[in-house]
Amino acid sequence: MGARAILAVTKNNFRQLSHDKRTVGMIVMMPILFIVLFGFTFAGEPENIRTLLVDADDGAEVTVNLTGLPPFTQTITLSDEFIDNLDPKTFNLVHSDDLDSSLNEVEEGRAWAIIYFPPDFTQGLLNWASSFGNLSEFLGINVTFDVVPVEDSKITVYVDGSNSQVAAKVIAEVGAAFANTIQEQSPNMSFTAFVSPEFVYGENVQFIDFFAPGIIGLIVTMMTIILTIVSFVRERTNGTLDRLFVSPIKPYDIVLGYTVTFSIIALIQSVILLVVASLLFGVTFVGSILLALGLIVLYAIGILGLGILLSTLAKNEFQAVQFMPIIIIPSIMLAGILWPIESMPEFIRPISAFIPLTYLASSLRSVMIRGWGPIEIGLEVAVLVAFAVVLLGISILIIYKKANRLGFRNKKKV
Amino acid sequence: MKNVVVTKDLVKEFGKLRAVNRLNLEIQKGEVYGFIGPNGSGKTTTIKILCGLLEATYGESFVLGRRMPDPSVYPRIGYMPQESALYPDLTVSHTIGFFGELYGLRKGEIEKREKELLAFVDLKGRRRTLVSNLSGGMKHRLSLAVSLIHNPELLFLDEPTVGIDPELRASFWEYFGNLTDEGVTVLITTHYMDEASKCDRVGMIREGKLVAVGTPEELKKETDTVSLEDSFLHFIRRSD
Ligand SMILES: Nc1ncnc2c1ncn2[C@@H]1O[C@H](COP(=O)(O)OP(=O)(O)OP(=O)(O)O)[C@@H](O)[C@H]1O
Ligand SMILES: [Mg+2]
């Protein structure tokens, strides 16, 4: 038997599926629906943030020395340069004259942020630049300049922090505009004071790239667990499982037949998910597709074991479906698929270590974004293998127990 | 004669309920043994123990010389559960095919058996019908065919004729007769007394206990009744 029996079970499963159009539809459409939903709702970075500009910058006076002309005094205002460098996609900029009324607007929720340039902004900036050395080089013309001490020249960003994503974006973009302004002014000057990010991996990675691997894992979790629980509960309530038990097929061949079936289904779903994610949302994928698919199938096998286990605890399909949230919700919350595990409170992090999706999401992410190979994700693979072996092993044992094939003998006396 | 099924003081308890109570059965090779008794008397439970699906609480049972549960007898026995246990999303032909494969039959053998069995249960014209679209009686007929697929030498049939029309029932009994001629043993449960009287021997069970065993003639004689039905009622009442 062995391979033939496994094949018989697999073939039987697919034949039944071929007559169950609704389930086939669910297998194909659920992944598409989910990835599209997640993609559109989560993919975007905050955009078009209504932001008030209060530009009180008085500028600073410099003396320009041009050859052949007498030196003359000119006022320069660097806040304009800075404003030009603000990302037009992120900001919906509205000029305002008055800081107090602007603050009112933010307090009343009509704007997310205020970018305030103090009167001494340019003066302070030039003071600072000249402290590095040659101001002429900074401004690109030959100037002489008097350092006039100023009190406060910092740009102030007043921001409504009630939406942390919006607030973080505003602050990050203001910082970026500032860096760009300085950089443009002085391409030759090296300002060691700035942080210049060099991406080791994933230069153009967006939020969707971060969560797509996790979402793929989540969808495979849901589908595999539903299909397994329902199939096994149905085998039992139909009485067909009893029939299998009274036939020569070995219980592990039954489980392996199902394993092959649901691995193939998980494979099909992963392909759909990866195709939709990359075609529709341009999700980064630099690693090996085969490795990614292998990871998903390995993970699905463990989940299948879990499903069989749970199916034995349920009397009927209705009860079986009640197990779903117990598996799905911790996976969504704690597996690091939507927010990094590093952002969770320390006492919760150990729980993540017991959720298999954690390992799938992180290894899949490494393959897709970093292009890592099997060696680099070895630890995660080992955990996933252990998880699959243990759960499948337990579920095979349970099936053996149900089939009374564990060899325990009953008591003899009456 | 050789006993192919033996139980010794078999007891099965579900919590406090004793479904089978010190049952001692002896079924001989080549006979049709009718297992009759009121609803809930423990017939199905006994069959499930004999098939290794349930473990006895106390006592022992032997099937084809093996102490149950023992999977090594499975290739040689056929089991038809009381509820027709089939896959609703499979066609009639694929159902036969799947169970044939489980018993390791080759493709050619499966095709041959499918022809024979579907002719026997009168489902020839239904090969491509989905099980879920069969009538209740047809499902039952297919379920019987499935339990016969591998030519077992011992058959456990739990109410195989429920919901089957009279003409087919007659042909079923003829078929069982032919099987025993070839040395096959059949353990059959039924609530129809006309069927019970066609058995070689009948065992009457009540509250998990065997209250009478014998050929239909012996049983009628013992209770001095003309019909097996009266004899059955007599034994059941006497055991109160
Ligand atoms: N899994 C179970 N758990 C608890 N009690 C059970 C279980 N299976 C059967 N019983 C009880 O055991 C007793 C015998 O049931 P069984 O099914 O063997 O009767 P039966 O003789 O086959 O009846 P019928 O003619 O109605 O088919 C009944 O009282 C039944 O309620
Ligand atoms: Mg019964």
Side-chain angles (χ1 to χ4, degrees):
Chain A
M1 297 300 275
R4 272 189 71 191
I6 295 170
L7 196 71
V9 173
T10 306
K11 194 167 73 182
N12 183 33
N13 284 332
F14 278 109
R15 275 187 173 150
Q16 291 180 65
L17 264 183
S18 73
H19 295 293
D20 185 354
K21 302 279 183 295
R22 192 172 311 191
T23 305
V24 174
M26 189 178 79
I27 288 172
V28 176
M29 294 314 294
M30 272 267 278
I32 298 178
L33 184 75
F34 267 82
I35 193 89
V36 166
L37 262 178
F38 272 106
F40 281 127
T41 48
F42 278 112
E45 303 239 354
E47 270 179 20
N48 207 26
I49 304 166
R50 190 177 152 88
T51 305
L52 306 173
L53 264 180
V54 182
D55 186 0
D57 188 10
D58 292 333
E61 289 196 345
V62 293
T63 311
V64 183
N65 310 302
L66 291 178
T67 37
L69 283 177
F72 60 93
T73 308
Q74 196 186 342
T75 306
I76 57 172
T77 348
L78 286 173
S79 60
D80 295 335
E81 310 273 338
F82 178 93
I83 291 165
D84 286 344
N85 276 321
L86 285 171
D87 179 32
K89 218 174 130 193
T90 307
F91 293 105
N92 169 16
L93 291 174
V94 179
H95 289 267
S96 162
D97 298 328
D98 174 35
L99 185 59
D100 285 338
S101 68
S102 301
L103 277 168
N104 260 341
E105 268 199 62
V106 173
E107 275 161 19
E108 285 161 16
R110 279 179 284 133
W112 284 106
I114 304 163
I115 302 173
Y116 172 69
F117 297 91
D120 289 333
F121 174 67
T122 304
Q123 185 70 47
L125 192 58
L126 293 183
N127 288 351
W128 173 78
S130 65
S131 72
F132 278 90
N134 197 337
L135 191 63
S136 302
E137 200 173 301
F138 182 69
L139 292 174
I141 38 170
N142 191 354
V143 293
T144 46
F145 163 76
D146 295 323
V147 173
V148 183
V150 293
E151 286 212 340
D152 188 12
S153 64
K154 287 198 284 289
I155 301 174
T156 309
V157 181
Y158 299 88
V159 61
D160 174 357
S162 63
N163 185 323
S164 59
Q165 273 182 302
V166 169
K169 182 76 177 165
V170 167
I171 292 164
E173 285 297 330
V174 170
F178 184 73
N180 283 342
T181 310
I182 302 297
Q183 211 74 40
E184 273 170 22
Q185 288 295 330
S186 57
N188 304 320
M189 278 172 89
S190 58
F191 287 99
T192 48
F194 290 128
V195 174
S196 109
E198 278 297 323
F199 287 95
V200 180
Y201 293 114
E203 178 142 18
N204 293 312
V205 163
Q206 294 176 308
F207 186 49
I208 188 163
D209 298 302
F210 169 77
F211 76 71
I215 296 304
I216 291 172
L218 187 66
I219 295 166
V220 170
T221 314
M222 285 202 275
M223 294 301 297
T224 308
I225 208 132
I226 294 181
L227 289 175
T228 319
I229 295 184
V230 169
S231 307
F232 270 85
V233 169
R234 213 183 266 175
E235 282 266 13
R236 207 180 62 225
T237 51
N238 274 349
T240 43
L241 195 60
D242 277 356
R243 266 212 147 115
L244 297 182
F245 286 167
V246 186
S247 83
I249 188 171
K250 303 264 191 307
Y252 63 76
D253 284 337
I254 302 175
V255 175
L256 292 181
Y258 269 97
T259 308
V260 174
T261 310
F262 291 128
S263 298
I264 294 174
I265 292 176
L267 195 66
I268 294 170
Q269 294 186 317
S270 331
V271 170
I272 295 174
L273 287 165
L274 289 176
V275 166
V276 174
S278 50
L279 288 189
L280 213 56
F281 301 108
V283 163
T284 308
F285 201 124
V286 293
S288 150
I289 293 191
L290 278 182
L291 183 58
L293 294 177
L295 283 172
I296 300 173
V297 169
L298 176 61
Y299 170 77
I301 291 174
I303 291 296
L304 167 120
L306 190 62
I308 297 178
L309 243 153
L310 292 180
S311 76
T312 60
L313 302 177
K315 275 212 182 79
N316 50 46
E317 281 153 283
F318 180 67
Q319 284 189 359
V321 174
Q322 297 172 14
F323 285 122
M324 290 286 304
I326 304 176
I327 303 301
I328 298 302
I329 290 176
S331 294
I332 296 176
M333 310 295 282
L334 303 175
I337 63 175
L338 292 175
W339 44 83
I341 291 170
E342 286 81 352
S343 70
M344 296 174 198
E346 203 158 338
F347 69 96
I348 283 185
R349 280 178 231 166
I351 304 176
S352 301
F354 289 96
I355 297 176
L357 185 57
T358 306
Y359 301 93
L360 176 70
S362 102
S363 58
L364 203 54
R365 204 174 286 135
S366 296
V367 171
M368 289 172 66
I369 302 177
R370 297 169 170 156
W372 280 7
I375 311 278
E376 289 97 327
I377 56 168
L379 188 69
E380 281 114 326
V381 172
V383 174
L384 288 176
V385 168
F387 164 69
V389 167
V390 168
L391 282 175
L392 207 59
I394 294 177
S395 67
I396 288 175
L397 269 181
I398 288 182
I399 299 290
Y400 267 82
K401 176 80 189 77
K402 297 267 165 200
N404 284 323
R405 292 205 195 191
L406 281 184
F408 303 135
R409 293 302 190 185
N410 52 335
K411 292 156 267 180
K412 208 172 166 184
K413 73 172 226 315
V414 180
Chain B
M1 271 244 212
K2 214 181 122 200
N3 288 328
V4 288
V5 175
V6 176
T7 69
K8 290 183 183 161
D9 285 330
L10 196 68
V11 173
K12 178 68 192 178
E13 288 172 350
F14 295 108
K16 281 189 180 151
L17 181 100
R18 221 169 229 222
V20 177
N21 191 2
R22 287 172 158 252
L23 184 72
N24 290 292
L25 279 183
E26 286 185 352
I27 300 173
Q28 292 157 5
K29 185 171 159 58
E31 70 175 343
V32 176
Y33 188 97
F35 203 26
I36 61 177
N39 291 133
S41 55
K43 304 182 293 295
T44 300
T45 306
T46 305
I47 288 184
K48 283 191 173 170
I49 294 171
L50 292 174
C51 289
L53 289 171
L54 286 177
E55 259 185 303
T57 315
Y58 304 112
E60 313 178 90
S61 57
F62 296 89
V63 169
L64 298 170
R66 297 302 199 128
R67 189 178 192 273
M68 293 307 286
D70 183 343
S72 71
V73 302
Y74 290 153
R76 298 161 66 195
I77 67 174
Y79 165 56
M80 177 187 176
Q82 185 165 355
E83 317 290 338
S84 30
L86 300 166
Y87 297 100
D89 290 326
L90 225 47
T91 63
V92 168
S93 170
H94 286 159
T95 302
I96 300 272
F98 172 60
F99 285 101
E101 282 172 18
L102 285 192
Y103 283 94
L105 301 189
R106 264 170 254 285
K107 216 171 159 227
E109 289 173 282
I110 292 175
E111 278 166 15
K112 189 173 140 259
R113 284 300 280 162
E114 182 185 328
K115 262 206 188 110
E116 293 168 4
L117 290 170
L118 292 190
F120 161 53
V121 298
D122 198 19
L123 285 173
K124 256 190 303 190
R126 296 287 188 159
R127 286 189 66 239
R128 298 196 184 289
T129 307
L130 280 186
V131 167
S132 55
N133 294 340
L134 292 177
S135 77
M138 288 176 184
K139 281 183 195 147
H140 225 64
R141 277 143 56 185
L142 179 60
S143 178
L144 175 63
V146 165
S147 58
L148 295 170
I149 180 99
H150 53 299
N151 287 310
E153 56 192 276
L154 171 59
L155 271 168
F156 295 103
L157 306 177
D158 202 351
E159 302 193 20
T161 54
V162 163
I164 307 290
D165 59 68
E167 198 187 338
L168 260 173
R169 252 163 69 183
S171 76
F172 277 16
W173 278 92
E174 195 181 319
Y175 188 85
F176 299 149
N178 296 343
L179 286 176
T180 52
D181 290 346
E182 295 162 22
V184 175
T185 314
V186 183
L187 170 61
I188 191 167
T189 73
T190 180
H191 288 291
Y192 303 118
M193 287 306 145
D194 59 318
E195 292 189 340
S197 40
K198 287 180 188 152
C199 296
D200 297 313
R201 283 200 307 149
V202 172
M204 291 182 182
I205 185 176
R206 181 172 185 270
E207 289 176 356
K209 264 197 167 98
L210 211 53
V211 293
V213 197
T215 64
E217 292 313 313
E218 286 168 357
L219 294 175
K220 280 189 273 186
K221 213 161 144 193
E222 200 182 324
T223 52
D224 201 17
T225 46
V226 279
S227 72
L228 194 61
E229 181 134 19
D230 291 337
S231 164
F232 175 67
L233 293 173
H234 181 97
F235 278 115
I236 294 299
R237 288 192 189 123
R238 198 177 70 181
S239 71
D240 264 340

